[in-house]
Amino acid sequence: MMQNLAWATGYNVVTLPLAAEVAYRWGILLSPAAGAVLMSVSTVMVAVNAGLLRIKR
């Protein structure tokens, strides 16, 4: 659970400012489509991590 929390926190720390156009002045802009893809990847990573943790026990 802690690993998934760390993954989700890291994801939000990086992508939320990009989605809010904080880095736009440096030419970095996250489109809504890219945000949707990243959210899907995040969900898959959390699910895979949970499955791997179950296997290790």
Side-chain angles (χ1 to χ4, degrees):
M1 187 166 78
M2 294 303 291
Q3 288 178 349
N4 286 337
L5 180 61
W7 171 256
T9 301
Y11 166 82
N12 287 325
V13 165
V14 171
T15 56
L16 283 178
L18 293 178
E21 299 183 8
V22 170
Y24 183 70
R25 61 184 132 182
W26 297 296
I28 300 171
L29 179 63
L30 185 65
S31 71
V37 168
L38 287 174
M39 186 57 115
S40 298
V41 169
S42 174
T43 301
V44 169
M45 290 298 296
V46 168
V48 167
N49 188 36
L52 290 174
L53 290 174
R54 179 182 291 176
I55 291 171
K56 288 183 182 180
R57 290 184 174 204

